[in-house]
Amino acid sequence: MHVDVGNALSEAATPGVPRDALDRLDDRVADAHRRISEGMDAGEFGYAALNLPETVDAGEIRAAVEPFADADTVLTVGIGGSALGAAALCDALGDDTRTEFLDNVDPAGVRDLLDGIDLSTTVMHVVSRSGTTAETLANFLVVRDAMQDAGVDWTERTFVTTGPDGNLRDLADAHDLPALSVPDGVPGRFSALSTVGLPVAALAGVDIEGVVAGAREERDSLTGSLFDCPAYAYGALAYALDSRGAGVNAVMPYSEGLETFAEWFAQLWAESLGKDGLGQTPVRALGATDQHSQLQLYRAGPRDKMVSLVTLRDRPDVPIPSSDLDGLDYLDGASLGSLLDAEFRATEASLAESGCPSVRVELDALDPESVGGLLYGMEAACVLAGELYGVETFTQPAVEWGKTAARGLLRGDESLPETPSLRVE
């Protein structure tokens, strides 16, 4: 992962970060790095996620999924971090097997998905650390019932990733289901590079060893200075821009394979940093598509945004056929890749011209090593930002409140806080 923060400096953008402020901020980065390193060395909750490139066992994962290598479709039943990491990896790198994700309980969506796959050639991966997540267990029961109705022995087409206790672990033990353990001390949104995210990626044909190797290389780049560490440069600049008014972080990859990465990033950034009245709001965009929608707002709207532009240094290409249509001579000899690169450069220049801060994140290619490094780098950036904000990065009390309230409603407890009502019908 390569990071360029030049267009986020005060000489180029408003809000922007003065160069001398970076020097002062770097002292705080050094202190934060020491705390992060201590947490990693001790395997503390949350910080243990940054050890995954060393602790994850790719061989164990491959052995666990080998019985399902014949699957035409892999259906992940999970929510949030139990699904988004795997989805980001599969959408960026997978090509052998169809992957689907049941990460919502919208009845129409669940029905349409199940109607569109052959359950006899589908393997189901059920993921929940607690083994009690309402949405995950509900969807599992629906899929299990659909398999039984289709004459499929669900016990032969299911494996789980869960914690040591809970309904899902009990189910796996009762039916002798293959079961992987979620890693200790790793919150779900930081678990892409583990038994949570990698099994489905392996079934989808992803070189998970390459993903882990790329993450390990990014781990080795963690130093006590933002000037030497791409991950820390990104996290520190995002924090510094937010403190100067850029409370929105629009993540805009110029690769459709990274569109789901932006969804994964949104959960990572929002759930980790949104506490105590602090944190940036992540926004998802896609280049070049959203140049025709959101870019207008970034350039001419409120000065409360930074744009994270993610691009590839090398990509497959498709030539653009020559045409005799008027006004298209500039496409002669061009390719879709060169057009997309021109769109990227033009967007970056457009943001700079209008004074909107942007950060460029470059990958060498859309390959396992680069994607592994990107996911790890953004996790490290998030942990650093959490240290700078001074928040509890690895908890999610607001999410837990909502889960508890939803379970209460299902049990008949209607004692939610009263809220004002103004109906317009």
Side-chain angles (χ1 to χ4, degrees):
M1 185 173 79
H2 315 277
V3 173
D4 187 334
V5 302
N7 284 335
L9 299 178
S10 59
E11 61 207 63
T14 303
V17 184
R19 288 179 184 265
D20 59 352
L22 286 183
D23 294 327
R24 296 192 299 273
L25 182 59
D26 200 40
D27 292 334
R28 295 185 60 196
V29 170
D31 291 339
H33 175 66
R34 282 190 286 272
R35 174 67 188 98
I36 292 168
S37 297
E38 291 170 359
M40 292 170 65
D41 290 342
E44 293 180 37
F45 181 77
Y47 299 98
L50 298 181
N51 292 330
L52 282 173
E54 304 299 331
T55 59
V56 69
D57 187 341
E60 175 196 23
I61 291 170
R62 287 210 178 273
V65 303
E66 195 278 331
F68 307 108
D70 64 338
D72 291 333
T73 301
V74 183
L75 174 61
T76 296
V77 179
I79 195 166
S82 295
L84 279 172
L89 287 167
C90 292
D91 287 353
L93 302 168
D95 58 10
D96 287 357
T97 303
R98 178 181 176 183
T99 54
E100 299 287 351
F101 297 87
L102 267 184
D103 59 354
N104 204 344
V105 289
D106 182 335
V110 173
R111 182 194 60 214
D112 289 347
L113 190 154
L114 293 179
D115 286 347
I117 59 177
D118 181 352
L119 292 172
S120 69
T121 59
T122 295
V123 61
M124 174 167 53
H125 183 208
V126 190
V127 189
S128 169
R129 172 186 292 276
S130 67
T132 61
T133 307
E135 299 91 343
T136 299
L137 271 294
N139 276 334
F140 160 70
L141 294 173
V142 170
V143 178
R144 183 178 71 173
D145 193 60
M147 284 184 163
Q148 291 172 333
D149 288 347
V152 177
D153 184 350
W154 69 273
T155 65
E156 297 295 322
R157 308 299 298 174
T158 302
F159 70 104
V160 306
T161 296
T162 190
D165 303 300
N167 292 332
L168 202 53
R169 177 62 66 176
D170 293 342
L171 185 83
D173 291 342
H175 295 279
D176 197 26
L177 305 179
L180 290 162
S181 296
V182 295
D184 291 336
V186 179
R189 59 189 176 276
F190 287 88
S191 65
L193 302 169
S194 77
T195 50
V196 173
L198 294 177
V200 171
L203 285 171
V206 175
D207 173 10
I208 61 172
E209 291 80 4
V211 170
V212 173
R216 187 179 302 118
E217 183 176 349
E218 203 65 35
R219 180 190 189 278
D220 293 342
S221 75
L222 297 184
T223 67
S225 173
L226 67 88
F227 296 107
D228 298 324
C229 174
Y232 285 174
Y234 183 87
L237 262 292
Y239 162 80
L241 286 169
D242 183 22
S243 67
R244 288 164 171 79
V248 175
N249 186 349
V251 179
M252 193 171 187
Y254 275 73
S255 167
E256 290 197 11
L258 293 175
E259 186 173 11
T260 309
F261 155 76
E263 294 186 33
W264 171 87
F265 176 91
Q267 184 198 5
L268 177 75
W269 213 247
E271 197 168 16
S272 299
L273 304 178
K275 286 139 192 175
D276 304 329
L278 302 171
Q280 277 184 321
T281 299
V283 172
R284 293 168 285 176
L286 178 66
T289 301
D290 287 310
Q291 289 171 213
H292 298 270
S293 56
Q294 298 180 33
L295 184 59
Q296 175 66 37
L297 177 67
Y298 303 160
R299 268 188 60 105
R303 291 306 178 97
D304 60 350
K305 303 168 190 67
M306 67 172 281
V307 182
S308 299
L309 298 166
V310 186
T311 191
L312 309 176
R313 291 182 171 179
D314 184 46
R315 68 176 84 236
D317 212 348
V318 175
I320 299 173
S322 59
S323 171
D324 57 359
L325 298 176
D326 291 341
L328 293 182
D329 56 295
Y330 63 91
L331 292 178
D332 287 347
S335 64
L336 294 182
S338 63
L339 177 58
L340 187 60
D341 182 60
E343 300 275 13
F344 168 83
R345 293 170 58 195
T347 297
E348 187 176 54
S350 173
L351 293 169
E353 195 277 336
S354 68
C356 177
S358 68
V359 174
R360 178 192 289 203
V361 179
E362 290 182 295
L363 307 185
D364 290 331
L366 196 64
D367 59 28
E369 291 77 12
S370 296
V371 173
L374 176 66
L375 296 184
Y376 185 92
M378 288 303 174
E379 289 179 0
C382 183
V383 175
L384 175 81
E387 298 293 332
L388 297 176
Y389 281 113
V391 299
E392 294 290 336
T393 307
F394 306 114
T395 62
Q396 53 282 333
V399 175
E400 298 303 328
W401 191 98
K403 289 180 179 179
T404 301
R407 285 194 292 268
L409 289 171
L410 289 169
R411 292 186 177 113
D413 178 6
E414 298 287 341
S415 59
L416 293 178
E418 290 189 12
T419 57
S421 177
L422 177 59
R423 294 182 179 275
V424 179
E425 300 183 10

